Amino acid sequence: MASHIVGYPRMGPKRELKFALESFWDKKSSAEDLQKVAADLRSAIWKQMADAGIKYIPSNTFSYYDQVLDATSMLGAVPPRYGWNGGEIGFDTYFSMARGNASVPAMEMTKWFDTNYHFIVPELGPDVNFSYASHKAVDEYKEAKSLGVDTVPVLVGPVSYLLLSKPAKGVEKTFSLLSLLPKILPIYKEVISELKAAGASWIQFDEPTLVLDLDSHQLQAFTSAYADLESALSGLNVLIETYFADLTTKAYKTLVGLKGVTAYGLDLVRGTQTIDLVKAGFPEGKYLFAGVVDGRNIWANDLASSLSTLQQLEAIVGKDKLVASTSCSLLHTAVDLVNETKLDDEIKSWLAFAAQKVVEVNALAKALAGQKDEAFFAANAAAQASRKSSPRVTNEAVQKAAAALKGSDHRRATNVSARLDAQQKKLNLPVLLTTTIGSFPQTLELRRVRREFKANKISEEDYVKAIKEEIKKVVDLQEELDIDVLVHGEPERNDMVEYFGEQLSGFAFTVNGWVQSYGSRCVKPPIIYGDVSRPKPMTVFWSSTAQSMTQRPMKGMLTGPVTILNWSFVRNDQPRFETCYQIALAIKDEVEDLEKAGINVIQIDEAALREGLPLRKSEHGFYLKWAVHSFRITNCGVQDTTQIHTHMCYSNFNDIIHSIIDMDADVITIENSRSDEKLLSVFREGVKYGAGIGPGVYDIHSPRIPSTEEIADRIDKMLAVLETNILWVNPDCGLKTRKYAEVKPALNNMVAAAKLLRTQLASAK
């Protein structure tokens, strides 16, 4: 039996690609330097998989930014504003699409299905002139071959590419993106032809949209596309890879009926029902790439259970047609457990990062072929038993408190409009209030201070002094800019989830467990291994310190329970909602302590609430019910005069707007600028929103500085659909990834735009 990996992390075990990218963007290194780091990483990945015994090793899963942007480059689908005039797409055009530049904004970025990875959304229309403009897939296949590794080139499938796109600005929203299939398939044929000529024997098309709720027209597009590609694919083994959820019966029938296809990749971790479809009927002579090793979590595989699953499948598809695989790309997990020197041995024995998952996949393949490594399987079984019985996993008091939540919906006693009146009387703030989302730039000096404190190289006294000085600098800057509601800038936090997890019980932390979020941005998700509680206050000291430095309202800054859950590696031995309720109770304690300390505005970020939404509509209601309930638990006990904010990041919120309203926050700040103000269309369509709202007026994920006039124009558009007294003016997201040279002028222009509109509104009365 053979083994396969869907995809692999790109950043490197110690974020080598991140640092190379940022050095290149800062003009401190050359394109050649960046390309060398990338080539070394690719070579190491391919060698590691080959040495582990993996038969089907992927290529073209490496990316300098995002695999969908790579597909856009391959197809030459560059929006006209980037001034590309044809030829092979280089770094200038590529990174301008991803990050924007001094003169034009970046393309929209949104979440990749229900993960914390982001992709760059293609902008398409009837006038796009597609052309073969990036030979990356072929170049990487040849590169691997020159190193003695025969790989499976991976392409984003043509139908998923179109279904993940959006109509470009000026194109009718009703435009059928699938009508572009006949225009992009000729380019796919060119790529296929070059791969065949280079010696490829397999090709993998990632078609993850097959797991979504698709109508018959969309399913037919898959049938048409692969029928069209059939002759071009002749002579190649073709794998169609799906992941992240179950396939519907109709989607499964479509998949196994595709012409010219040799193999089907199925996620059998999140797609728990898909195995029933296979049992009910699998096409004779085809390969099944069985995704039994979880590509999205860090728990060691239960090898005995997975082997049993594979044995059941072997009886259906045949011994020589079954391939052990990961459930999806390992992009969504940390790189290598070997680099974790500070995790205790017990917890470490429960885990497997990408490098270990490669070994697990091959161990399963060998076991099914009759070459079972008894010692490896025995150690795995012992670790599984240890995790189930460990006393550090369960806390009876926490479980009792969470169980007691049943029977109440935890709403605040007064409606939002009465609360806003009470808050206005207390805070006395102007219309079109200005604020920021929380974090300010994290300078090298600030990172050094935190690093040295963690390494016990400086005293706690020196650390507190340095952080206080940074807070004072941030407070003074905001007062100088005349921002209305201030933040302390979060200088004590490296990451909004990690910071809280470090102070909650039931969490473990890694040193190098980095996962790519977008571009060079990496996060280090905490590991929730047990019941969660808050031993002591987490933010009260810093928020009180910041409030003592100003007469203006200072926001207390917390991360909400759903976001902590969705941005962590979560225990898989109990339902996610039970863990979420435990976190909510811990955050509730913190909210009430902040209020007692005199903090009148408290922001509980739920940046990741939308991304946890299940991919199937039939499952939305249950998720939203417990997710929204968890948020309400955190603040149900505060006074009317305490203003509760929440913030949501890059995603599509329009389909959950009623759940957002049901969260019952006093103010919500939300991404708006990078998605062509898609959010505002909800209000144009008549949704009534009575709470405060701050749709972001500029994109912080781009270094570009918007003008006062541009921001004022955005605010004007908002005022066309939102009442003046509920509108807040703020950036899209936190500012930690930006430089002060970008932040100061951007915020200055933002405040100037708000004041300009205030003046115009006053003179219009």
Side-chain angles (χ1 to χ4, degrees):
M1 182 190 178
S3 51
H4 165 252
I5 304 297
V6 176
Y8 202 80
R10 308 151 180 163
M11 285 289 123
K14 295 192 176 172
R15 296 181 293 161
E16 292 87 344
L17 183 61
K18 169 191 170 66
F19 299 121
L21 281 166
E22 290 172 357
S23 176
F24 174 70
W25 292 336
D26 290 341
K27 298 184 167 46
K28 292 176 182 172
S29 61
S30 67
E32 291 73 22
D33 294 331
L34 174 58
Q35 286 163 334
K36 181 172 188 318
V37 169
D40 288 347
L41 284 171
R42 287 193 296 268
S43 171
I45 290 165
W46 291 326
K47 184 177 185 303
Q48 175 194 352
M49 287 197 234
D51 289 349
I54 301 297
K55 180 175 180 181
Y56 300 110
I57 297 170
S59 60
N60 198 41
T61 58
F62 181 90
S63 177
Y64 287 104
Y65 207 93
D66 159 50
Q67 72 268 19
V68 181
L69 183 61
D70 291 350
T72 293
S73 299
M74 181 185 86
L75 295 166
V78 180
R81 64 181 178 276
Y82 299 108
W84 176 66
N85 295 313
E88 189 80 3
I89 289 173
F91 281 156
D92 280 354
T93 301
Y94 182 86
F95 288 128
S96 290
M97 289 192 285
R99 307 176 71 237
N101 58 42
S103 57
V104 290
M107 294 167 72
E108 180 184 352
M109 180 170 68
T110 197
K111 297 291 171 112
W112 178 245
F113 294 81
D114 57 349
T115 74
N116 186 33
Y117 178 74
H118 301 67
F119 74 98
I120 302 297
V121 182
E123 302 172 12
L124 305 177
D127 300 328
V128 176
N129 292 313
F130 296 99
S131 63
Y132 187 10
S134 170
H135 292 67
K136 177 178 171 291
V138 178
D139 292 344
E140 284 191 19
Y141 174 78
K142 289 178 177 176
E143 181 186 336
K145 199 169 184 187
S146 72
L147 297 169
V149 183
D150 189 25
T151 60
V152 179
V154 179
L155 300 176
V156 174
V159 184
S160 287
Y161 177 79
L162 293 177
L163 290 175
L164 293 168
S165 301
K166 69 172 187 178
K169 208 163 189 176
V171 174
E172 288 292 326
K173 298 299 177 195
T174 55
F175 173 70
S176 170
L177 293 159
L178 290 175
S179 69
L180 297 174
L181 259 180
K183 292 189 175 183
I184 68 169
L185 290 178
I187 292 142
Y188 274 89
K189 289 173 186 175
E190 286 188 68
V191 180
I192 292 162
S193 174
E194 287 193 8
L195 286 169
K196 281 164 81 170
S201 58
W202 278 84
I203 186 168
Q204 175 179 319
F205 291 100
D206 280 6
E207 293 282 15
T209 56
L210 270 166
V211 305
L212 301 178
D213 292 313
L214 301 179
D215 60 34
S216 56
H217 171 66
Q218 291 166 323
L219 289 172
Q220 180 57 41
F222 288 94
T223 304
S224 302
Y226 287 93
D228 193 323
L229 292 173
E230 184 180 14
S231 59
L233 291 167
S234 176
L236 277 175
N237 290 295
V238 178
L239 165 63
I240 306 293
E241 187 66 52
T242 69
Y243 36 79
F244 297 152
D246 280 306
L247 292 166
T248 64
T249 304
K250 285 183 180 176
Y252 179 75
K253 283 181 180 171
T254 299
L255 173 66
V256 297
L258 295 179
K259 293 196 170 171
V261 173
T262 320
Y264 315 104
L266 302 175
D267 181 341
L268 300 179
V269 176
R270 289 188 173 234
T272 52
Q273 309 301 314
T274 297
I275 196 164
D276 294 332
L277 296 172
V278 175
K279 286 176 180 175
F282 190 79
E284 197 175 341
K286 303 291 186 181
Y287 288 82
L288 173 59
F289 282 56
V292 291
V293 172
D294 192 352
R296 286 183 57 174
N297 217 326
I298 42 65
W299 303 109
N301 188 269
D302 183 340
L303 294 177
S305 174
S306 292
L307 183 58
S308 171
T309 299
L310 290 170
Q311 286 165 339
Q312 291 176 53
L313 293 169
E314 184 184 49
I316 298 163
V317 305
K319 199 181 198 77
D320 61 334
K321 298 296 183 186
L322 185 62
V323 178
S325 183
T326 53
S327 64
C328 62
S329 173
L330 298 175
L331 172 70
H332 309 288
T333 191
V335 180
D336 196 342
L337 200 52
V338 167
N339 298 315
E340 299 308 323
T341 52
K342 296 190 176 176
L343 275 174
D344 72 65
D345 288 342
E346 183 182 33
I347 290 179
K348 203 169 176 180
S349 75
W350 302 342
L351 307 177
F353 291 179
Q356 289 68 48
K357 288 176 186 291
V358 168
V359 174
E360 288 179 339
V361 168
N362 202 54
L364 286 165
K366 287 175 75 176
L368 203 64
Q371 301 164 43
K372 187 177 180 185
D373 184 334
E374 296 292 353
F376 187 71
F377 270 71
N380 176 266
Q384 299 291 325
S386 152
R387 189 173 159 218
K388 280 177 187 164
S389 61
S390 175
R392 67 200 299 183
V393 171
T394 52
N395 179 325
E396 204 174 312
V398 171
Q399 293 191 350
K400 212 178 214 176
L405 292 170
K406 288 169 187 162
S408 169
D409 63 2
H410 297 90
R411 291 184 185 276
R412 290 171 78 178
T414 318
N415 70 37
V416 69
S417 89
R419 298 197 308 261
L420 288 173
D421 287 345
Q423 292 154 16
Q424 180 57 20
K425 279 175 191 162
K426 184 167 187 174
L427 300 172
N428 192 29
L429 294 167
V431 294
L432 302 182
L433 297 111
T434 54
T435 190
T436 64
I437 302 305
S439 61
F440 264 64
Q442 302 258 315
T443 62
L444 290 173
E445 174 61 18
L446 182 56
R447 292 177 192 276
R448 181 192 64 77
V449 167
R450 281 202 309 260
R451 192 166 57 246
E452 291 187 354
F453 178 59
K454 274 198 167 183
N456 296 316
K457 290 182 179 175
I458 60 171
S459 68
E460 184 172 2
E461 186 182 352
D462 287 342
Y463 170 72
V464 169
K465 181 170 178 281
I467 297 298
K468 281 184 174 178
E469 285 172 1
E470 184 69 21
I471 291 173
K472 183 76 169 79
K473 184 174 87 173
V474 169
V475 170
D476 289 349
L477 172 61
Q478 290 171 95
E479 292 199 323
E480 179 192 323
L481 291 166
D482 205 16
I483 290 172
D484 300 307
V485 176
L486 310 190
V487 298
H488 76 291
E490 304 175 12
E492 77 283 15
R493 307 176 195 182
N494 177 57
D495 177 87
M496 63 187 282
V497 173
E498 182 181 4
Y499 176 80
F500 290 96
E502 282 177 336
Q503 300 180 79
L504 295 168
S505 63
F507 282 75
F509 292 87
T510 63
V511 175
N512 286 298
W514 297 99
V515 179
Q516 184 183 16
S517 178
Y518 64 87
S520 68
R521 169 89 169 124
C522 297
V523 293
K524 194 153 44 105
I527 297 164
I528 306 177
Y529 67 83
D531 291 335
V532 178
S533 62
R534 184 197 74 145
K536 61 181 182 182
M538 302 179 285
T539 65
V540 176
F541 173 75
W542 295 119
S543 292
S544 302
T545 299
Q547 184 64 80
S548 72
M549 297 174 180
T550 180
Q551 295 300 306
R552 301 183 187 211
M554 173 65 62
K555 285 198 269 191
M557 300 299 305
L558 305 175
T559 303
V562 185
T563 296
I564 291 176
L565 184 88
N566 285 336
W567 284 358
S568 297
F569 290 124
V570 183
R571 58 191 292 190
N572 57 0
D573 59 346
Q574 71 176 17
R576 287 172 72 87
F577 69 85
E578 288 185 15
T579 303
C580 199
Y581 284 155
Q582 292 177 1
I583 302 168
L585 287 169
I587 300 299
K588 181 177 187 286
D589 290 344
E590 187 71 12
V591 168
E592 289 168 7
D593 280 348
L594 281 168
E595 184 182 57
K596 284 175 197 161
I599 304 300
N600 296 314
V601 181
I602 302 170
Q603 182 169 308
I604 308 164
D605 285 347
E606 283 298 13
L609 187 138
R610 174 63 175 78
E611 85 181 37
L613 194 68
L615 300 177
R616 295 307 246 304
K617 288 194 174 102
S618 60
E619 298 167 21
H620 286 189
F622 179 66
Y623 167 78
L624 289 168
K625 185 177 179 183
W626 63 255
V628 169
H629 187 192
S630 296
F631 177 81
R632 288 202 306 262
I633 288 166
T634 64
N635 60 87
C636 62
V638 301
Q639 298 171 36
D640 286 358
T641 49
T642 298
Q643 189 168 83
I644 298 295
H645 288 225
T646 191
H647 169 67
M648 291 186 169
C649 277
Y650 292 80
S651 204
N652 180 11
F653 301 105
N654 295 22
D655 55 348
I656 63 161
I657 191 67
H658 293 289
S659 294
I660 291 172
I661 293 169
D662 199 38
M663 290 169 73
D664 200 27
D666 296 311
V667 178
I668 179 168
T669 51
I670 200 162
E671 184 276 329
N672 176 63
S673 66
R674 195 162 180 171
S675 58
D676 294 332
E677 297 153 348
K678 213 175 345 188
L679 174 71
L680 298 186
S681 65
V682 168
F683 304 109
R684 289 190 196 100
E685 288 158 13
V687 169
K688 298 295 178 198
Y689 192 73
I693 184 165
V697 296
Y698 79 90
D699 173 24
I700 67 88
H701 289 92
S702 168
R704 185 174 167 273
I705 298 162
S707 66
T708 299
E709 293 72 25
E710 183 182 329
I711 295 174
D713 181 57
R714 286 191 184 279
I715 298 170
D716 244 341
K717 287 178 181 173
M718 294 171 191
L719 287 170
V721 291
L722 294 166
E723 296 294 328
T724 312
N725 64 333
I726 66 167
L727 186 62
W728 287 62
V729 177
N730 46 264
D732 262 351
C733 209
L735 304 168
K736 70 185 286 185
T737 60
R738 301 268 56 88
K739 298 179 175 64
Y740 273 104
E742 299 156 353
V743 165
K744 287 180 185 177
L747 290 180
N748 186 64
N749 292 350
M750 183 187 84
V751 173
K755 288 181 175 178
L756 177 68
L757 267 294
R758 283 178 200 159
T759 304
Q760 289 176 5
L761 288 166
S763 62
K765 281 184 178 177

